[in-house]
Amino acid sequence: MKEPVIYKSKVQLSLLGASQNTLYPAGTLVMVTRSGILRRTLPLAILGHESTVNQDIKAICTPYYEITEYLYWYFTALETDILEKYQKDGTTVESIDFEKFQQIEIILPPFNELKRIIGQLQSLLHLVELITTNSDEIVATIEKTKSKILELAMQGKLVPQDPTDEPAAEMLKRINPKAKIITDNPHYPQLPDNWVLTDIKSVSEYGGGATISIDNICDEDWILELEDIEKDSGIILEKKQKRDREVKGVRHRFDNGNILYSKLRTYLNKVLIAPTGGYCSTEIVPIKCHKCVFPDYLCAWLRSSYFLAYTQSCGYGVKMPRLSTSDAKNGIVPLPPLKEQRRIMEQVTSLFGLLDSISNSAN
């Protein structure tokens, strides 16, 4: 009884054997009443063929197949309630008191609505089955969708522009007079009028944090290693203090709100914003944003397909490619006005949250 409708059984009866047992027609609802041997479940099924049952199974016949289907899902929904309320007293094996169970109250809709309910259930269950069967494919599609969302965001196509926003070029020069403004870059799509192309060193302090000997780090301080970060998502898989791991050498110090960027094998996309201060592997670069860019916007850019393509074009090393500090600092950044950066990230966060909920359901 592992499927809603049973078409086969391991035990078959001869015609003589069948003539000596009660036969129930196809469309009969059958229920196991000895739940104790089945780990507190209530197995239910509908007979797909004329059949007989053993002493642990009760049969429920209805005048219409649609009502049988409705009862199947009705009792399935109430499984926990039925197991608690209709147990047989004084038995060593948990069993359903079928005499008592026959008094159960059933909410029965009009027949046509009942059929609509069953139809809707079948559609939804089919969708669930498709999601379960194709979960890996769905998750891969979701990751591609996220990449496309970031691509549109970095082209100024995700949210509308507001002409009253301070243009990015004016904002950048006001905050950092030495900032580089790139006026000619044929490799990047045309930007909205109030955006500007610049480079990472103009909007942030890349890798300027102190390098600390492990001997000068307290036992309770957070030590972040590359293996602690999930690829693509930037999720922290494990947060360990110094006392929890064997470490030697030196570590970079980072502060709450710094972007943490893995320069090793950049295609793994291990980029995140530090939730607290701590110390990280020297393969992870702390980035402190200037006031012209929000950390979450720059973090999104570093994870975008555009910047990934750039890092793969200039990375050095064959087995373990790295991004050099100079190449990282010279990497371009499409910079919107500050208010638009906030609008972009609000929309990205909202869309990613929806996609993550779908992905979690698929898994």
Side-chain angles (χ1 to χ4, degrees):
M1 296 179 66
K2 296 178 181 178
E3 300 292 334
V5 182
I6 296 177
Y7 292 102
K8 276 186 178 180
S9 64
K10 292 182 180 179
V11 178
Q12 306 262 325
L13 291 178
S14 65
L15 287 176
L16 177 61
S19 67
Q20 296 174 350
N21 287 272
T22 301
L23 292 179
Y24 298 99
T28 298
L29 179 65
V30 291
M31 178 178 78
V32 175
T33 56
R34 286 169 60 86
S35 61
I37 60 173
L38 295 161
R39 298 183 182 178
R40 299 283 299 159
T41 61
L42 182 68
L44 296 162
I46 299 172
L47 300 179
H49 291 296
E50 187 178 44
S51 309
T52 188
V53 299
N54 71 13
Q55 66 273 16
D56 293 328
I57 297 175
K58 300 298 182 182
I60 302 170
C61 300
T62 70
Y64 297 102
Y65 188 79
E66 291 86 351
I67 295 178
T68 303
E69 278 190 291
Y70 178 81
L71 290 180
Y72 172 86
W73 294 114
Y74 189 87
F75 295 149
T76 297
L78 293 177
E79 178 183 59
T80 302
D81 211 33
I82 291 171
L83 289 171
E84 288 180 358
K85 289 184 177 179
Y86 299 98
Q87 278 192 51
K88 186 177 289 186
D89 297 328
T91 55
T92 55
V93 177
E94 292 180 343
S95 304
I96 295 296
D97 186 331
F98 196 66
E99 294 299 321
K100 189 190 299 183
F101 173 78
Q102 290 182 77
Q103 308 303 316
I104 188 171
E105 293 184 350
I106 297 168
I107 300 172
L108 196 66
F111 192 67
N112 286 336
E113 184 174 347
L114 181 148
K115 289 194 291 185
R116 290 195 297 271
I117 289 171
I118 295 301
Q120 183 73 357
L121 266 173
Q122 289 173 340
S123 298
L124 291 172
L125 290 166
H126 178 65
L127 179 60
V128 170
E129 184 178 354
L130 285 175
I131 291 172
T132 303
T133 304
N134 302 288
S135 59
D136 291 343
E137 185 178 332
I138 290 169
V139 170
T141 301
I142 286 172
E143 290 307 312
K144 289 180 181 178
T145 304
K146 285 184 175 182
S147 179
K148 186 63 178 179
I149 288 170
L150 285 182
E151 183 181 316
L152 294 172
M154 300 307 159
Q155 294 178 23
K157 296 179 179 179
L158 193 63
V159 299
Q161 279 73 50
D162 185 343
T164 64
D165 289 343
E166 180 185 19
E170 294 179 16
M171 177 265 295
L172 183 60
K173 283 298 185 183
R174 175 173 55 79
I175 294 174
N176 181 12
K178 296 181 179 180
K180 181 178 181 180
I181 292 180
I182 302 168
T183 56
D184 183 24
N185 191 307
H187 303 293
Y188 196 77
Q190 182 67 37
L191 292 174
D193 292 338
N194 55 354
W195 288 40
V196 69
L197 274 182
T198 184
D199 54 24
I200 286 177
K201 65 179 178 289
S202 295
V203 299
S204 68
E205 184 181 342
Y206 180 91
T211 301
I212 308 295
S213 168
I214 199 70
D215 297 329
N216 296 324
I217 298 174
C218 297
D219 285 345
E220 63 271 15
D221 285 334
W222 177 24
I223 302 291
L224 177 68
E225 302 292 350
L226 280 173
E227 63 265 26
D228 301 335
I229 306 170
E230 185 177 63
K231 71 182 186 73
D232 294 322
S233 72
I235 292 173
I236 299 169
L237 299 172
E238 200 167 18
K239 192 174 182 181
K240 288 187 175 182
Q241 296 174 319
K242 176 188 170 181
R243 64 165 64 93
D244 299 325
R245 63 196 333 159
E246 294 182 11
V247 286
K248 298 178 181 179
V250 297
R251 293 294 184 273
H252 287 322
R253 186 175 66 198
F254 60 85
D255 296 321
N256 177 22
N258 285 170
I259 296 172
L260 302 178
Y261 180 76
S262 171
K263 65 180 182 180
L264 177 67
R265 296 193 293 173
T266 57
Y267 56 84
L268 294 177
N269 227 351
K270 295 189 174 186
V271 191
L272 67 148
I273 297 176
T276 62
Y279 299 86
C280 60
S281 161
T282 53
E283 299 293 359
I284 300 173
V285 182
I287 303 173
K288 182 180 179 181
C289 292
H290 297 328
K291 292 182 179 180
C292 56
V293 65
F294 288 120
D296 52 352
Y297 176 82
L298 184 56
C299 184
W301 166 249
L302 295 174
R303 296 179 60 200
S304 71
S305 59
Y306 292 115
F307 195 74
L308 279 173
Y310 169 73
T311 64
Q312 290 177 46
S313 70
C314 58
Y316 66 94
V318 179
K319 290 185 178 180
M320 303 286 276
R322 288 173 171 81
L323 181 66
S324 71
T325 299
S326 60
D327 284 333
K329 289 182 175 181
N330 292 323
I332 65 167
V333 180
L335 193 67
L338 269 174
K339 289 183 178 179
E340 187 170 344
Q341 290 179 38
R342 189 181 297 279
R343 293 195 298 272
I344 287 170
M345 293 318 300
E346 286 173 352
Q347 182 74 319
V348 167
T349 301
S350 175
L351 293 172
F352 276 25
L354 177 60
L355 291 171
D356 285 340
S357 67
I358 296 172
S359 180
N360 292 336
S361 297
N363 288 326

